[in-house]
């Protein structure tokens, strides 16, 4: 085949899936960390070393907690070593037991943190318009064993917190939010972090604000915050007094130093994410069957994820075919959160029939394509990524033939 026609600004080139040279020499990742001001970070690390206070609720962690609490407008922030441990501690501290209802359409940590402590995750379907847990589905799954609900603010877009609060109040349940994606986002003018009994942020390297590894639980409940502080530090109240069952969930000082540096850089990160989202939006406008998730302009949003939905009926290629095309060109686009937690172990074995009640989860997880963004991606790069997709859809038959040949052991894409 001759070189492909490539509308847009990049010069015409042949897709790698069809034998061309990959568009990017190095992998272009979803989740490439934003670094912030290296000098500022190094200065903080130097201070930490001079002070010889490396972990155990040191001054940098306390400053990080205060900055998070101030930004969210919440009374307490308890920083942890990562969001998975923060979820485990939050679930235990609120008294979850028996069964807890959560979406299957989430990162598997939301469910693992329940299963890890012998609580049964009960998977509810999502609203396909928001990708968030469907309150009506939650209500149908409540049994005498249900103790709580976990809502996940997927892509930083808030759950229907009002409906979930109403269900919880009527059934005597506790709501915890997995807000791993939602630091810096608001709901009805109120910052996420203020809903439910408590909310959990992730500060993993790939997140909007990153502390290498890290997480935090935020809450307005004094007693709950105190309990979680104890649980994070083996239950110690003094030098040798243990007052609670605990574990080691502490955030090291160096992680908090990165967290502070990342908080300082937040405005620039949002600006880059917004610019990329807008470039993707314009470039995708006339592509049939591919829609970008839009986020409300009246709320605050971090735009950390660029999420496209590929409609296999109207787009000439399926989501998975596009993923293969992009990967061949070194664009490591992701299909979060395929196949949903219920399709992963141990849930697939423990709950083999769960999928039957999750048609929207199934459909959304087969359509979503998450694309690279962040400060390491410029508009030209976004344009090239979209041009790869456009070129592929313009010669879909040829692409499909190449994929079939590769699958049958021919040329590897
Ligand atoms: N709840 C929800 C809803 C979550 O999404 C997550 C985490 C959690 C809870 C648990 O939070 P943590 O316990 O992690 O704090 C990534 C992240 O590792 C994970 O934190 C995140 N969600 C999830 C959505 O994405 P993976 O396994 O898909 O990707 P990973 O970590 O290998 O990174 C993606 C790509 O980014 C890599 O292929 C390369 C690039 N990368 C990554 C790192 C870490 C870099 O270029 N540099 C790096 O330092 O999970």
């Amino acid at each position: 085949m001759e070189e492909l026609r490539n509308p847009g600004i990049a010069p015409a080139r042949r897709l790698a899936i069809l034998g061309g040279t990959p568009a990017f020499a190095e992998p272009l990742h979803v989740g490439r960390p934003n670094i912030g001001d290296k000098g500022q970070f190094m200065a903080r690390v130097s201070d930490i070393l001079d002070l010889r206070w490396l972990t155990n609720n040191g001054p940098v962690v306390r400053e990080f907690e205060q900055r998070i609490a101030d930004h969210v407008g919440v009374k307490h922030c308890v920083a942890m070593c990562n969001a998975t441990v923060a979820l485990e501690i939050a679930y235990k501290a609120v008294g979850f037991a028996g069964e807890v209802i959560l979406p299957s359409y989430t990162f598997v940590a939301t469910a693992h943190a329940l299963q890890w402590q012998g609580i049964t995750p009960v998977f509810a379907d999502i609203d396909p318009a928001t990708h968030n847990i469907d309150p009506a589905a939650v209500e149908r799954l409540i049994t005498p064993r249900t103790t709580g609900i976990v809502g996940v603010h997927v892509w930083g877009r808030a759950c229907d917190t009002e409906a979930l609060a109403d269900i919880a109040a009527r059934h005597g349940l506790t709501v915890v939010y997995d807000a791993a994606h939602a630091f810096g986002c608001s709901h009805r003018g109120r910052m996420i972090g203020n809903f439910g009994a408590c909310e959990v942020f992730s500060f993993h390297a790939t997140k909007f604000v990153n502390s290498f590894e890290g997480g935090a639980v935020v809450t307005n409940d004094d007693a709950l915050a105190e309990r979680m502080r104890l649980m994070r530090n083996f239950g110690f109240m003094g030098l040798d007094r243990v007052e609670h069952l605990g574990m080691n969930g502490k955030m090291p000082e160096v992680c908090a130093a990165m967290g502070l540096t990342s908080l300082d850089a937040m405005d620039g990160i949002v600006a880059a994410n917004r610019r990329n989202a807008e470039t993707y939006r314009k470039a995708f406008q006339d592509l049939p069957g591919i829609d970008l998730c839009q986020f409300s302009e009246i709320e605050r949003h971090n735009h950390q994820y660029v999420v496209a939905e590929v409609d296999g009926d109207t787009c000439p290629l399926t989501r998975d075919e596009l993923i293969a095309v992009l990967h061949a060109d070194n664009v490591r686009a992701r299909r979060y959160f395929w196949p949903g937690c219920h399709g992963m172990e141990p849930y697939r074995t423990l709950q083999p029939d769960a999928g039957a009640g999750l048609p929207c989860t199934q459909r959304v997880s087969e359509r979503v394509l998450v694309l690279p963004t962040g400060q390491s991606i410029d508009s030209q790069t976004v344009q090239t990524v979209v041009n790869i997709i456009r070129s592929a859809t313009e010669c879909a038959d040829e692409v499909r033939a190449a994929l079939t040949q590769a699958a049958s052991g021919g040329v590897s894409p």
Side-chain angles (χ1 to χ4, degrees):
M1 198 197 96
E2 286 311 302
E3 287 216 322
L4 294 169
R5 196 165 50 79
N6 254 336
I9 54 176
R13 54 167 292 280
R14 196 173 163 78
L15 290 170
I17 197 88
L18 300 178
T21 308
F24 298 96
E26 296 296 326
L28 191 68
H29 290 292
V30 169
R32 198 90 179 137
N34 299 305
I35 301 299
D37 184 329
K38 256 196 231 177
Q40 246 178 30
F41 170 69
M42 293 302 187
R44 286 187 167 113
V45 173
S46 175
D47 289 348
I48 290 168
L49 296 178
D50 287 348
L51 195 63
R52 290 180 190 265
W53 195 281
L54 307 186
T55 184
N56 288 15
N57 203 27
V60 189
V61 163
R62 292 200 303 273
E63 184 186 346
F64 182 60
E65 289 182 332
Q66 192 57 56
R67 290 268 302 270
I68 297 289
D70 290 348
H71 190 78
V72 173
V74 76
K75 275 170 88 177
H76 305 281
C77 169
V78 187
M80 310 258 184
C81 52
N82 59 57
T84 306
V85 165
L87 282 167
E88 284 175 24
I89 288 181
Y91 293 164
K92 198 160 195 79
V94 299
F96 279 173
E99 294 174 1
V100 168
I101 301 169
L102 75 164
S104 170
Y105 191 70
T106 178
F107 192 62
V108 73
T110 321
H112 277 352
L114 291 166
Q115 185 75 33
W116 193 259
Q117 41 197 323
I119 302 165
T120 304
V122 176
F123 298 116
D125 211 0
I126 52 169
D127 175 348
T130 63
H131 301 179
N132 284 333
I133 195 165
D134 174 5
V138 170
E139 192 137 26
R140 286 194 294 272
L141 292 168
I142 294 172
T143 73
R145 296 193 69 226
T146 309
T147 56
I149 303 165
V150 178
V152 182
H153 305 302
V154 176
W155 320 130
R157 177 159 44 202
C159 294
D160 187 344
T161 56
E162 295 75 16
L164 293 175
D166 174 59
I167 293 169
R170 283 189 283 108
H171 294 272
L173 305 175
T174 301
V175 184
V176 168
Y177 286 104
D178 177 337
H181 302 179
F183 184 72
C185 302
S186 68
H187 176 49
R188 302 202 167 175
R190 205 166 159 216
M191 292 306 281
I192 289 181
N194 285 280
F195 299 93
C198 59
E199 304 210 44
V200 175
F201 294 124
S202 170
F203 302 120
H204 180 259
T206 56
K207 292 293 188 284
F208 167 53
V209 162
N210 99 79
S211 62
F212 299 148
E213 288 277 359
V217 191
V218 291
T219 180
N220 287 306
D221 181 328
D222 299 343
L224 181 59
E226 183 52 27
R227 214 156 44 242
M228 291 190 295
R229 285 189 190 285
L230 284 174
M231 291 168 91
R232 159 183 87 165
N233 186 32
F234 317 101
F236 272 111
M237 267 193 109
L239 276 186
D240 40 23
R241 196 174 130 216
V242 170
E243 288 298 322
H244 211 285
L245 173 66
M247 58 142 90
N248 184 350
K250 290 169 287 165
M251 174 183 272
E253 291 286 274
V254 70
C255 291
M258 186 63 190
L260 287 171
T261 307
S262 194
L263 282 173
D264 292 340
M266 221 166 28
D267 292 348
I269 301 170
V270 178
N273 286 348
R274 271 188 173 279
R275 183 202 61 220
N276 289 340
E278 186 55 18
T279 312
Y280 274 117
R281 193 189 62 76
K282 284 193 184 137
F284 271 125
Q285 244 162 11
D286 60 341
L287 271 178
I290 305 181
D291 290 315
L292 281 189
C293 285
Q294 302 291 319
F295 302 106
S296 167
E297 276 304 321
I298 58 169
E299 301 291 354
R300 294 181 67 167
H301 205 276
N302 58 32
H303 296 277
Q304 181 67 3
Y305 293 98
V306 171
V307 183
E309 275 194 65
V310 182
D311 179 350
D313 293 333
T314 50
C315 180
L317 292 169
T318 65
R319 187 274 309 271
D320 286 350
E321 288 166 339
L322 285 177
I323 286 269
V325 166
L326 288 164
H327 283 200
D329 261 307
N330 241 339
V331 180
R332 312 299 294 174
R334 300 295 299 263
R335 40 186 188 174
Y336 292 133
F337 294 104
W338 185 86
C341 296
H342 71 284
M344 297 177 171
E345 292 297 354
Y347 315 106
R348 192 173 56 208
T349 299
L350 292 172
Q351 305 185 31
D353 302 326
L358 303 168
C360 299
T361 302
Q362 198 91 12
R363 188 173 138 80
V364 168
S365 70
E366 282 166 5
R367 292 163 53 114
V368 161
L369 176 68
V370 181
L371 295 164
T373 186
Q375 287 182 308
S376 60
I377 308 282
D378 60 13
S379 297
Q380 173 77 53
T381 303
V382 170
Q383 212 42 263
T384 305
V385 171
V386 179
N387 282 343
I388 293 167
I389 295 174
R390 183 184 299 276
S391 297
T393 58
E394 286 173 355
C395 57
D397 290 344
E398 215 172 336
V399 165
R400 201 163 280 134
L403 287 170
T404 308
Q405 193 187 0
S408 65
V411 185
S412 148

